[in-house]
Amino acid sequence: MTIKVAAIIGSVRKDSNNLKLVEYMKKRYADQMDIEPILISDLPMYNPDIEENAPQEVIDFRNRIKQADAVLFAVAEYNFSIPGALKNAIDWLSRGGFVLREKPAFIVGSSMGVLGSVRAQIHLREILSNPSLSPWLLPNNEVYIGSVHEKLNEQNEMVDSGTRGFLDQVVGNFVSFYNRIS
């Protein structure tokens, strides 16, 4: 069985390294997961005044998450935290049906710096612990890919064997986790 995974790309940057990472994962793990990258650049700013009559972009975004078996968060780090666009997307997911609640999920993150989004992922885990969100996050499998620009080539292939092996292990752990809790 292939797990249908909605991969929320936590950056709006056109040449996002996290989008490249997800595209790599989509190809490499196609036999285990059907990964659909979801861009968040078209989402309007969350506004409680319009949450009852959410714009179509928000409805479509929520539906894509709801229809997935699992969620992958690919998070960049801006100023020691998650990008504002990702927080905005998560705010929309915290309303209108609790589409993340108890949905299996895991997190990856990369950066050109050496820490690979460590601080952003700490904040993301804290945000996702909100009872209005609370996905079932894969425990003890933090993926921080530092110096990603040196590890992915121009064809979006992971050329760093250590990182490739680690991703293989984490994806295997996620598939086992998914099968155990689903």
Side-chain angles (χ1 to χ4, degrees):
M1 176 189 137
T2 303
I3 304 167
K4 184 178 178 184
V5 179
I8 300 172
I9 310 303
S11 158
V12 297
R13 187 171 157 243
K14 181 181 174 185
D15 198 32
S16 167
N17 287 314
N18 285 287
L19 176 57
K20 291 176 185 179
L21 174 61
V22 167
E23 291 290 351
Y24 166 77
M25 292 176 71
K26 177 183 174 90
K27 290 176 193 164
R28 183 160 180 92
Y29 306 112
D31 61 329
Q32 300 169 71
M33 301 186 296
D34 177 16
I35 298 176
E36 175 192 10
I38 298 179
L39 304 178
I40 57 175
S41 56
D42 290 338
L43 292 175
M45 290 301 295
Y46 172 74
N47 181 341
D49 293 339
I50 62 171
E51 82 178 48
E52 294 297 320
N53 295 307
Q56 190 62 48
E57 298 89 350
V58 171
I59 294 167
D60 294 344
F61 173 62
R62 286 182 185 150
N63 284 337
R64 290 170 81 185
I65 303 302
K66 184 178 182 176
Q67 292 167 4
D69 300 322
V71 174
L72 168 60
F73 292 91
V75 62
E77 184 169 306
Y78 293 178
N79 298 311
F80 297 168
S81 190
I82 66 172
L86 179 56
K87 178 62 167 76
N88 180 60
I90 292 169
D91 287 344
W92 279 115
L93 292 176
S94 73
R95 303 293 209 223
F98 306 114
V99 298
L100 276 179
R101 188 177 285 160
E102 298 181 355
K103 189 169 290 273
F106 68 119
I107 302 170
V108 299
S110 68
S111 72
M112 293 175 71
V114 295
L115 297 180
S117 77
V118 171
R119 291 179 181 112
Q121 289 191 42
I122 291 168
H123 289 168
L124 179 58
R125 288 177 186 280
E126 183 177 348
I127 292 163
L128 292 174
S129 72
N130 179 313
S132 295
L133 298 163
S134 31
W136 286 331
L137 282 174
L138 175 66
N140 305 316
N141 282 263
E142 287 80 15
V143 179
Y144 312 120
I145 302 174
S147 303
V148 69
H149 60 291
E150 298 171 0
K151 295 176 181 173
L152 284 172
N153 67 16
E154 291 180 15
Q155 292 76 38
N156 281 353
E157 296 164 337
M158 184 62 63
V159 295
D160 183 77
S161 62
T163 302
R164 197 171 46 244
F166 182 68
L167 278 173
D168 290 348
Q169 181 181 356
V170 169
V171 168
N173 291 344
F174 180 74
V175 170
S176 295
F177 172 75
Y178 176 85
N179 290 329
R180 199 169 48 251
I181 65 173
S182 295

